[in-house]
Amino acid sequence: MARIEYDEDDIEDDDAADGGGPDWRRRLLTWSLAAVGLGLGFLIPYVLYLNHQVSQRFGELQWQVPTRVYARPLRLAPGLAMDTQTLKTELDAAAYHEGDGVRAGTYKVDGNRWTISSRGFRDVDGAVGPSRIEASVSGGRVASVRDVVGKREVGAVRLDAARIATLYGQKQEERRLVRVEDVPQLFTDTLQAVEDRDFAHHFGIDLSGMARAAWVNLRSGEKRQGASTLTQQLARSGLLGIGREVTWSRKFNEILYALIIEARYGKKTILEAYLNQVYLGQRGAQAIHGVAAGSEFWFGRRLEDLETQHVALLVGIVRGPSYYDPRRNPERAKARRDFVLANMLETGLIDQKEHDRALAAPLGITTSPGSIAANRFPAYVDLVRRQLARDYPADALQGAGLSVMTGMSPSAQAYAESAVTRTLKSLENAKRPSLQAGLVVTDVHDGEVIAVVGSGSPTEHGFNRAVEAQRPVGSLLKPFVYLLALARPSEYSLATWVDDSPVTVTLGNGRTWSPKNSNNRSHGSVRLIDSLAQSYNQSTVRVGMQVDPRRLADLINTLAGIRAQPNPSLILGSLDQSPYAMAQLYQFLASGGEIQPLHAVRGVLDPEGRVVKRYDKDPAPATEGDAIAARLVTQALQHAVTSGTGRQLVNDGLGRLGAAGKTGTSNDSRDSWFAGWTGDHLAVVWVGNDQNEMTGLYGATGAMRVWSGIFSRLPSSPLRVGDKGLDWQWVVQSNATDASCPGARRFAFVNGFSPPYQPCLPPTDPFAPPEEEGRGGWREWFGFGKREQAPAQPAPTTQDTTP
């Protein structure tokens, strides 16, 4: 082949003719390669850095989940005290809604029949499956409970509990984690139809979606549809630390993150992360994250209970929770919901009939955020924290994702709060100082605390008077003086005559103490039962000196851990205690002689629903002696309600409860107390003033009115005192006689200690000592054997009182 040679001048001429020839091409190529090299040199390390960030933050997928506090599950069983208003209160508190009774979380009312479709839940004794039951309520009781699916009568059912508080961690984020399979398919399909139709197919960014969004927005004249994929939205949600500011650098990072996430993880993982991370609203400092929390926040419903119109609105809010806030901007929110409904119809997720129904439906939001309040019941949650403190440091509970299962009854709590606010308002007058209150309501069967109010404004945070207030208890200690006396059946019975004439006690320091009755009158010889029912001071002091104040101090320490100086003034309540401490003391009487430690917490579950700790241990049965002594005192305090200081309760229409109760008033009417119980519940109430000023209230005119307000609404079984170990006799003076004998009264005696029978004979000397010798056995629990003389008394170390 001939070699072609070029003349250099020709080449130079050609280069000049081409504007520089090969030189500019070389320079362009060099600059391009340099730019690419520099770009890759920056991009590759940066992508590797972003990949590391994704691996750290997204790969572990660990959120700070708040600890949730729950009430006790509602138990329905034939014979349990219940009325329709209380049942509705309980269901509403647990986020049930009136509906068809078929969809989970709904109930249907037909006369006295309630069809309830419950949701499955986990409790301290394991998982409880969903059920559909029919409960009949009549005559203040549950008449029957029927399993609708199984078509059979059942002995008892439990319904999932209300959430009463949330303990957040450092991040004030409300979130309930869900799995994709737990989310209704209608929701996930609607979310993709509106926010990312090509989610299943794209690789992180969706070019066709961008074009479609541009067309929709251009046609509507406003931004109706975004171009970001769900993966891009997840990238900028805060999970990966990308801000929400609109800049090119943020958008660039968002796209890179989306591409990396899609390359590393499957669609299910990405969608699940989105469902738990998406921002859906704000309440104060609490950010609402995740579709489950959003459902509760806006509708007061669990995610699985949402209807079509709710799904559409919740998906619509995703675009802008503040802009489309249905509480502040209902018209804007409705327009957005209707747009989503149109998308659901267009994509075949719903038919025309369901579309039209949902379109006509109201937004369905709650007037206030549902089920997420950090602490709606401050006094009760304070008690919960105190009980858990010995096992969990405060920071170990907050944001730990635990479930704290308590004994609260939402209806009892609501009735207690209402009774406090209404009663204190009715007692206001110009001459009376500002009043406060504290109360505790318990279950007499197991010691669970079902309601606590710590302030005259029950939702007010701060000083918890139910637990922290230390106030003189006055006559509330008298029943325990008589409990000790009745533990000596050879010396004392309810029929025993006691002396209510003026009394003077010589103290250990040589001083004297001469307490008087509240009305400054003496009553001579009175029955022991009447002395307690009428709350006479003089006769009580005589009995108390016989049983010995030291044994009274030992008794209240044994029953409630209360430490007191064993001075004579202790007999009349020279002791400062809280309503909670007095509730623990009275639980012994209300439970029929069982020593039941009060507890607000039943147990703690970990995030997977496994039991970490249980507190609801069954109390030991009462011993025979304890049960008999408690029955006798209870009978006396039932007499106090029917004929003594608590008789206003009968006038209030509460005689049907057969309640037992004791009023208490401190010196100068500074403190008003009442402790009373029925067959199901005990409530101890204090009313007074934080500055210790005189209120002019007695136990019956202050605290007992609050108690009456609670039990006028709270379903509770009547108190029926058993006869085991007791012998009932008709008595005249100190003799057993016939029922037809004039003036005869019927009393219960400990078996073997009834008075001798004499048919309508003249009475014997009422102060003659009994012939029976003291006997051992069950009475030794109280430290008594044979009859003893009271030892010399130590000098009081507290100021003498005259309750």
Side-chain angles (χ1 to χ4, degrees):
M1 177 182 292
R3 180 178 178 184
I4 301 177
E5 295 182 359
Y6 295 95
D7 183 77
E8 290 182 2
D9 292 337
D10 293 338
I11 294 174
E12 290 175 2
D13 291 342
D14 290 342
D15 287 345
D18 292 339
D23 284 349
W24 74 263
R25 291 191 182 92
R26 283 194 215 94
R27 286 195 295 271
L28 180 61
L29 179 60
T30 301
W31 294 340
S32 299
L33 291 175
V36 170
L38 288 173
L40 290 175
F42 165 77
L43 189 61
I44 291 175
Y46 188 60
V47 169
L48 292 175
Y49 166 75
L50 295 183
N51 182 64
H52 177 69
Q53 292 290 96
V54 169
S55 178
Q56 266 195 329
R57 302 186 185 186
F58 188 90
E60 295 179 1
L61 289 180
Q62 291 184 352
W63 288 278
Q64 187 179 75
V65 179
T67 289
R68 294 176 173 86
V69 185
Y70 294 92
R72 56 97 181 95
L74 176 62
R75 183 172 180 269
L76 296 176
L80 286 183
M82 182 59 65
D83 58 41
T84 55
Q85 181 56 53
T86 299
L87 180 54
K88 185 178 188 305
T89 299
E90 291 278 345
L91 292 174
D92 289 347
Y96 279 75
H97 300 270
E98 190 164 3
D100 56 12
V102 176
R103 181 191 293 264
T106 65
Y107 63 88
K108 180 180 179 181
V109 184
D110 182 11
N112 67 345
R113 291 199 309 273
W114 294 65
T115 303
I116 306 169
S117 184
S118 72
R119 300 165 288 223
F121 64 100
R122 288 188 176 274
D123 200 17
V124 293
D125 53 0
V128 178
S131 62
R132 186 162 175 252
I133 60 106
E134 182 183 274
S136 296
V137 179
S138 63
R141 293 190 173 277
V142 177
S144 64
V145 180
R146 182 171 173 269
D147 180 358
V148 175
V149 178
K151 298 181 180 180
R152 59 186 179 86
E153 300 291 321
V154 294
V157 296
R158 285 184 296 165
L159 307 181
D160 43 307
R163 178 173 162 195
I164 61 174
T166 307
L167 308 180
Y168 294 96
Q170 292 181 345
K171 293 183 178 180
Q172 293 283 302
E173 293 182 350
E174 172 62 23
R175 181 184 280 107
R176 182 190 293 277
L177 297 182
V178 294
R179 298 172 301 174
V180 170
E181 53 267 30
D182 296 330
V183 179
Q185 186 172 347
L186 180 62
F187 185 93
T188 55
D189 289 348
T190 302
L191 178 67
Q192 294 176 59
V194 175
E195 293 293 326
D196 189 356
R197 288 195 183 181
D198 294 325
F199 173 73
H201 306 103
H202 64 62
F203 49 87
I205 59 174
D206 183 10
L207 299 177
S208 63
M210 294 178 184
R212 181 170 57 251
W215 170 246
V216 170
N217 296 335
L218 180 65
R219 188 174 57 182
S220 64
E222 60 177 326
K223 187 173 181 180
R224 302 291 296 272
Q225 195 173 95
S228 295
T229 64
L230 293 180
T231 315
Q232 288 176 268
Q233 293 179 39
L234 177 62
R236 66 169 179 261
S237 67
L239 183 64
L240 295 172
I242 300 177
R244 299 186 66 86
E245 68 279 0
V246 182
T247 64
W248 286 108
S249 61
R250 195 272 298 165
K251 193 67 177 178
F252 178 68
N253 283 338
E254 175 189 308
I255 291 173
L256 288 180
Y257 266 129
L259 293 171
I260 294 170
I261 290 171
E262 289 277 350
R264 290 182 61 100
Y265 303 104
K267 293 291 185 180
K268 178 181 177 182
T269 302
I270 295 170
L271 181 58
E272 192 167 281
Y274 183 93
L275 294 171
N276 287 307
Q277 177 64 17
V278 61
Y279 173 70
L280 284 169
Q282 191 84 21
R283 182 185 184 184
Q286 299 165 14
I288 313 303
H289 283 275
V291 296
S295 176
E296 294 182 1
F297 179 76
W298 292 113
F299 308 109
R301 296 173 179 241
R302 297 192 182 186
L303 192 60
E304 59 268 29
D305 300 336
L306 297 185
E307 299 181 42
T308 302
Q309 64 270 22
H310 305 131
V311 169
L313 179 56
L314 191 59
V315 169
I317 290 173
V318 167
R319 175 62 53 194
S322 178
Y323 186 79
Y324 293 111
D325 185 332
R327 294 192 181 102
R328 288 193 254 178
N329 305 302
E331 293 181 0
R332 189 182 293 164
K334 185 179 184 305
R336 179 66 181 169
R337 183 203 69 174
D338 295 349
F339 168 76
V340 175
L341 286 171
N343 271 260
M344 296 170 75
L345 177 64
E346 177 190 341
T347 53
L349 296 178
I350 56 175
D351 58 23
Q352 188 67 51
K353 181 179 179 181
E354 179 62 9
H355 170 269
D356 295 345
R357 185 204 65 78
L359 197 67
L363 293 178
I365 61 166
T366 58
T367 54
S368 60
S371 301
I372 68 144
N375 191 345
R376 166 65 180 79
F377 308 102
Y380 194 97
V381 175
D382 174 63
L383 181 60
V384 168
R385 289 180 184 272
R386 290 169 186 267
Q387 183 178 333
L388 291 174
R390 58 180 177 264
D391 295 319
Y392 299 91
D395 56 356
L397 284 174
Q398 298 180 164
L402 302 175
S403 294
V404 179
M405 318 306 288
T406 76
M408 177 194 275
S409 160
S411 58
Q413 182 70 32
Y415 297 157
E417 291 179 359
S418 175
V420 166
T421 54
R422 285 187 293 108
T423 301
L424 295 193
K425 184 174 180 60
S426 71
L427 293 173
E428 288 178 354
N429 63 48
K431 297 181 180 180
R432 182 169 288 144
S434 176
L435 295 177
Q436 281 290 353
L439 67 81
V440 176
V441 185
T442 71
D443 187 320
V444 303
H445 305 293
D446 52 24
E448 286 183 0
V449 179
I450 66 171
V452 181
V453 177
S455 170
S457 301
T459 59
E460 182 181 272
H461 291 247
F463 187 55
N464 186 355
R465 294 163 187 82
V467 179
E468 298 177 278
Q470 299 288 308
R471 303 298 303 174
V473 301
S475 296
L476 247 59
L477 278 192
K478 287 179 180 175
F480 300 93
V481 174
Y482 290 96
L483 181 71
L484 291 170
L486 292 167
R488 289 175 161 175
S490 63
E491 298 178 58
Y492 291 99
S493 70
L494 295 178
T496 297
W497 292 96
V498 294
D499 183 9
D500 190 55
S501 62
V503 61
T504 297
V505 176
T506 301
L507 306 176
N509 60 2
R511 296 173 58 196
T512 59
W513 178 49
S514 301
K516 300 184 182 303
N517 289 327
S518 61
N519 60 2
N520 292 315
R521 294 174 53 193
S522 299
H523 305 90
S525 296
V526 296
R527 299 279 190 188
L528 183 146
I529 190 173
D530 297 323
S531 175
L532 177 53
Q534 301 297 337
S535 199
Y536 295 151
N537 290 338
Q538 295 172 161
S539 51
T540 300
V541 168
R542 281 191 167 87
V543 173
M545 294 302 294
Q546 285 294 313
V547 301
D548 192 342
R550 290 178 296 185
R551 288 199 167 95
L552 177 60
D554 290 342
L555 176 63
I556 62 176
N557 184 44
T558 298
L559 297 181
I562 296 173
R563 298 187 179 276
Q565 293 295 324
N567 300 312
S569 58
L570 181 65
I571 297 168
L572 298 184
S574 177
L575 175 71
D576 292 355
Q577 285 298 318
S578 67
Y580 183 83
M582 296 310 293
Q584 180 64 80
L585 188 59
Y586 269 81
Q587 190 75 15
F588 176 80
L589 299 176
S591 66
E594 294 180 355
I595 300 180
Q596 297 180 352
L598 298 185
H599 57 281
V601 180
R602 297 183 299 114
V604 178
L605 309 182
D606 68 13
E608 284 71 45
R610 297 185 295 259
V611 176
V612 177
K613 179 84 173 178
R614 288 192 68 165
Y615 297 87
D616 57 342
K617 298 177 181 178
D618 292 332
T623 65
E624 182 181 8
D626 296 352
I628 291 173
R631 287 182 200 127
L632 291 172
V633 174
T634 298
Q635 289 175 17
L637 294 179
Q638 285 181 309
H639 184 54
V641 171
T642 56
S643 306
T645 57
R647 56 188 174 275
Q648 180 58 41
L649 293 178
V650 178
N651 297 335
D652 291 345
L654 298 178
R656 57 184 169 77
L657 293 175
K662 183 70 189 76
T663 56
T665 309
S666 67
N667 285 351
D668 301 321
S669 297
R670 299 176 191 274
D671 301 274
S672 170
W673 289 87
F674 187 74
W677 66 96
T678 66
D680 288 332
H681 305 110
L682 162 71
V684 176
V685 185
W686 167 83
V687 172
N689 175 263
D690 285 344
Q691 284 69 47
N692 197 32
E693 298 175 292
M694 290 185 292
T695 65
L697 296 172
Y698 293 91
T701 57
M704 195 175 77
R705 289 181 60 179
V706 176
W707 195 97
S708 178
I710 297 171
F711 285 88
S712 64
R713 302 175 67 189
L714 179 65
S716 196
S717 297
L719 175 59
R720 295 185 174 88
V721 183
D723 292 336
K724 186 177 181 181
L726 300 179
D727 178 24
W728 287 87
Q729 296 289 337
W730 289 92
V731 176
V732 171
Q733 290 296 337
S734 298
N735 301 316
T737 187
D738 300 316
S740 59
C741 192
R745 288 179 65 182
R746 192 166 181 253
F747 296 95
F749 297 86
V750 177
N751 279 339
F753 291 91
S754 299
Y757 171 78
Q758 291 186 6
C760 285
L761 293 178
T764 60
D765 181 0
F767 295 104
E771 297 179 0
E772 301 93 329
E773 291 292 323
R775 303 185 182 182
W778 60 267
R779 293 170 297 105
E780 293 179 357
W781 187 92
F782 294 101
F784 293 107
K786 294 186 177 181
R787 186 174 56 179
E788 305 172 66
Q789 297 294 324
Q793 303 302 317
T797 57
T798 58
Q799 182 178 358
D800 294 344
T801 60
T802 310

Coordinates of all heavy atoms in Angstrom, one line a residue, residues 712-738:
S712 N -73.7 7.1 94.0 CA -75.0 7.3 93.4 C -75.0 6.9 91.9 O -76.0 6.7 91.3 CB -75.5 8.7 93.5 OG -74.6 9.6 92.9
R713 N -73.8 6.8 91.3 CA -73.6 6.5 89.9 C -72.8 5.2 89.7 O -73.1 4.5 88.6 CB -72.9 7.7 89.2 CG -73.6 9.0 89.3 CD -72.8 10.1 88.7 NE -72.6 10.0 87.3 CZ -71.8 10.7 86.5 NH1 -71.1 11.6 87.1 NH2 -71.8 10.6 85.2
L714 N -71.9 4.9 90.5 CA -71.1 3.7 90.3 C -71.8 2.4 90.7 O -72.2 2.2 91.8 CB -69.8 3.8 91.2 CG -68.8 2.6 91.1 CD1 -68.2 2.6 89.7 CD2 -67.7 2.8 92.2
P715 N -72.0 1.5 89.7 CA -72.7 0.2 90.1 C -71.8 -0.6 91.1 O -70.6 -0.7 90.9 CB -72.8 -0.5 88.7 CG -72.7 0.6 87.7 CD -71.7 1.6 88.3
S716 N -72.5 -1.0 92.1 CA -71.7 -1.7 93.2 C -72.7 -2.6 93.9 O -73.9 -2.3 94.2 CB -71.1 -0.7 94.2 OG -70.1 -1.3 95.0
S717 N -72.2 -3.8 94.3 CA -73.1 -4.8 94.9 C -73.4 -4.4 96.4 O -72.5 -3.8 97.0 CB -72.5 -6.2 94.9 OG -72.3 -6.6 93.6
P718 N -74.6 -4.7 96.9 CA -74.8 -4.4 98.3 C -73.9 -5.2 99.2 O -73.4 -6.3 98.9 CB -76.3 -4.9 98.5 CG -76.9 -4.9 97.1 CD -75.7 -5.3 96.2
L719 N -73.6 -4.6 100.4 CA -72.7 -5.2 101.3 C -73.6 -6.2 102.2 O -74.5 -5.8 102.9 CB -72.1 -4.2 102.2 CG -71.2 -4.7 103.4 CD1 -70.1 -5.5 102.9 CD2 -70.7 -3.5 104.2
R720 N -73.2 -7.4 102.1 CA -73.9 -8.5 102.9 C -72.8 -9.1 103.8 O -71.9 -9.7 103.4 CB -74.6 -9.5 102.1 CG -75.7 -8.9 101.2 CD -76.4 -10.0 100.5 NE -77.6 -9.4 99.8 CZ -77.6 -8.9 98.6 NH1 -76.5 -8.9 97.9 NH2 -78.7 -8.4 98.0
V721 N -73.0 -9.0 105.1 CA -72.1 -9.5 106.1 C -72.5 -10.9 106.5 O -73.6 -11.2 106.8 CB -72.1 -8.6 107.4 CG1 -71.0 -9.2 108.4 CG2 -71.8 -7.2 107.1
G722 N -71.5 -11.8 106.3 CA -71.8 -13.2 106.6 C -72.0 -13.5 108.1 O -71.6 -12.7 108.9
D723 N -72.6 -14.7 108.4 CA -72.9 -15.1 109.7 C -72.0 -16.1 110.3 O -72.1 -16.5 111.4 CB -74.3 -15.7 109.8 CG -75.4 -14.6 109.6 OD1 -75.1 -13.4 109.8 OD2 -76.5 -15.0 109.1
K724 N -71.0 -16.5 109.5 CA -70.1 -17.6 109.9 C -69.4 -17.2 111.2 O -68.8 -16.1 111.3 CB -69.1 -17.9 108.8 CG -68.2 -19.1 109.2 CD -67.3 -19.4 108.0 CE -66.4 -20.7 108.4 NZ -65.5 -21.0 107.3
G725 N -69.4 -18.0 112.2 CA -68.8 -17.8 113.5 C -69.5 -16.9 114.4 O -69.0 -16.5 115.5
L726 N -70.8 -16.5 114.0 CA -71.6 -15.6 114.8 C -72.9 -16.2 115.2 O -73.4 -17.1 114.6 CB -71.9 -14.3 114.0 CG -70.7 -13.5 113.5 CD1 -71.2 -12.3 112.7 CD2 -69.8 -13.0 114.7
D727 N -73.3 -15.7 116.4 CA -74.6 -16.2 116.9 C -75.5 -15.0 117.2 O -75.1 -14.1 118.0 CB -74.3 -17.0 118.2 CG -75.6 -17.5 118.9 OD1 -76.6 -17.6 118.2 OD2 -75.6 -17.7 120.2
W728 N -76.6 -14.9 116.5 CA -77.5 -13.8 116.7 C -78.5 -14.0 117.8 O -79.1 -15.1 117.9 CB -78.3 -13.6 115.4 CG -77.4 -13.0 114.3 CD1 -76.7 -13.6 113.4 CD2 -77.2 -11.6 114.0 NE1 -76.0 -12.8 112.6 CE2 -76.3 -11.5 112.9 CE3 -77.8 -10.4 114.6 CZ2 -76.0 -10.3 112.3 CZ3 -77.4 -9.2 114.0 CH2 -76.5 -9.1 112.9
Q729 N -78.6 -13.0 118.6 CA -79.5 -13.1 119.8 C -80.3 -11.8 120.0 O -79.8 -10.7 119.7 CB -78.8 -13.4 121.1 CG -78.0 -14.7 121.1 CD -79.0 -15.9 121.2 OE1 -80.1 -15.8 121.7 NE2 -78.5 -17.1 120.8
W730 N -81.6 -12.0 120.5 CA -82.3 -10.8 120.9 C -81.9 -10.5 122.3 O -81.9 -11.4 123.2 CB -83.8 -11.1 120.8 CG -84.3 -11.1 119.3 CD1 -84.4 -12.2 118.6 CD2 -84.6 -10.0 118.5 NE1 -84.8 -11.9 117.3 CE2 -85.0 -10.5 117.2 CE3 -84.8 -8.6 118.7 CZ2 -85.4 -9.7 116.2 CZ3 -85.2 -7.8 117.7 CH2 -85.5 -8.4 116.4
V731 N -81.7 -9.2 122.6 CA -81.2 -8.9 123.9 C -81.9 -7.7 124.5 O -82.3 -6.8 123.8 CB -79.7 -8.5 123.8 CG1 -79.1 -8.0 125.1 CG2 -78.8 -9.6 123.3
V732 N -82.2 -7.8 125.8 CA -82.7 -6.7 126.6 C -81.7 -6.5 127.8 O -81.3 -7.5 128.5 CB -84.1 -7.0 127.2 CG1 -84.4 -5.9 128.2 CG2 -85.1 -7.1 126.1
Q733 N -81.2 -5.3 127.9 CA -80.1 -5.0 128.8 C -78.9 -6.0 128.5 O -78.4 -5.9 127.5 CB -80.6 -5.2 130.3 CG -81.5 -4.0 130.7 CD -80.9 -2.7 130.7 OE1 -79.7 -2.5 130.8 NE2 -81.7 -1.6 130.5
S734 N -78.6 -6.9 129.4 CA -77.4 -7.7 129.2 C -77.8 -9.2 129.0 O -77.0 -10.1 129.1 CB -76.4 -7.6 130.4 OG -75.9 -6.3 130.5
N735 N -79.1 -9.4 128.8 CA -79.6 -10.8 128.7 C -80.1 -11.1 127.3 O -80.8 -10.3 126.7 CB -80.7 -11.0 129.8 CG -80.2 -10.8 131.2 OD1 -79.1 -11.2 131.5 ND2 -81.0 -10.1 132.0
A736 N -79.9 -12.3 126.9 CA -80.6 -12.8 125.7 C -82.0 -13.1 126.1 O -82.4 -13.6 127.2 CB -79.9 -14.1 125.2
T737 N -83.0 -12.8 125.1 CA -84.4 -13.0 125.4 C -85.1 -13.3 124.1 O -84.5 -13.6 123.1 CB -84.9 -11.8 126.1 OG1 -86.2 -12.0 126.6 CG2 -84.9 -10.6 125.2
D738 N -86.4 -13.2 124.2 CA -87.3 -13.5 123.0 C -87.4 -12.2 122.2 O -87.4 -11.1 122.7 CB -88.6 -13.9 123.5 CG -88.5 -15.2 124.4 OD1 -87.8 -16.1 124.0 OD2 -89.2 -15.3 125.4

